[in-house]
């Protein structure tokens, strides 16, 4: 909701489209219900001009494979201009994995947003503008 209400200094919307729970179909063909298909869900999809921003949200513990999933989906559906954001609440639950996940995310060009549930609204707005 915050991303939908963001404006830049010129009074224009930062993101002209923001959707949640977006299902992406890898081959673009409809299949019958119950038939195997290859698809992914992205938690939040935002468009800034022609630049898609793919956002994956995790609550607590997760594995490094989540970074590769986000990278794969963003590259497949957004190409080389896609931006990738991983939101993690309760990063302390990552334990010893936190440092390696942070390093891997940086190397893969994935912006990490942590503790947004405790962040002041103004700080979250700034973080979202910079995605």
């Amino acid at each position: 909701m915050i991303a939908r209400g963001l404006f830049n200094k010129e009074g224009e919307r930062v993101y002209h489209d923001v959707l949640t729970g977006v299902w992406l179909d890898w081959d673009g063909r409809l299949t019958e219900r119950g038939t195997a298909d290859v698809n992914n869900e992205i938690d939040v999809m935002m468009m800034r001009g022609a630049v898609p921003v793919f956002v994956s949200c995790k609550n607590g513990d997760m594995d490094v494979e989540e970074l590769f999933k986000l990278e794969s989906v963003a590259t497949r559906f957004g190409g080389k201009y896609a931006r990738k954001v991983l939101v993690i609440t309760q990063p302390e639950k990552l334990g010893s994995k936190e440092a390696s996940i942070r390093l891997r995310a940086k190397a893969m060009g994935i912006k990490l947003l942590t503790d947004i549930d405790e962040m002041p609204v103004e700080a979250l707005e700034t973080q979202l503008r910079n995605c």
Side-chain angles (χ1 to χ4, degrees):
M1 294 304 293
I2 291 174
R4 287 182 180 161
L6 291 178
F7 292 88
N8 62 20
K9 293 176 184 174
E10 291 78 33
E12 302 164 332
R13 289 194 180 278
V14 173
Y15 299 104
H16 66 271
D17 200 3
V18 179
L19 297 172
T20 59
V22 177
W23 280 94
L24 303 167
D25 187 325
W26 282 69
D27 64 11
R29 292 189 304 245
L30 294 176
T31 58
E32 289 186 38
R33 187 178 197 126
T35 305
D37 198 8
V38 179
N39 55 48
N40 288 90
E41 180 195 14
I42 192 74
D43 295 312
V44 181
M45 180 114 192
M46 306 184 297
M47 290 297 297
R48 186 174 194 156
V51 178
V53 181
F54 294 81
V55 182
S56 180
C57 303
K58 300 297 173 194
N59 188 18
D61 194 19
M62 58 166 270
D63 292 315
V64 71
E65 287 80 21
E66 294 299 329
L67 297 169
F68 292 100
K69 289 180 191 177
L70 178 56
E71 169 69 26
S72 178
V73 168
T75 299
R76 168 81 165 133
F77 294 99
K80 65 182 180 180
Y81 298 108
R83 301 276 197 260
K84 302 159 289 218
V85 179
L86 178 62
V87 176
I88 305 173
T89 59
Q90 302 175 336
E92 65 278 1
K93 289 188 176 180
L94 294 171
S96 62
K97 295 184 283 187
E98 183 177 0
S100 62
I101 286 173
R102 287 185 181 279
L103 285 171
R104 174 83 59 182
K106 184 176 181 179
M108 295 175 78
I110 298 173
K111 180 177 180 68
L112 282 182
L113 295 180
T114 58
D115 293 323
I116 67 165
D117 53 326
E118 299 173 6
M119 194 179 288
V121 172
E122 296 80 15
L124 181 54
E125 289 174 345
T126 299
Q127 291 292 322
L128 290 172
R129 276 190 183 93
N130 293 326
C131 288

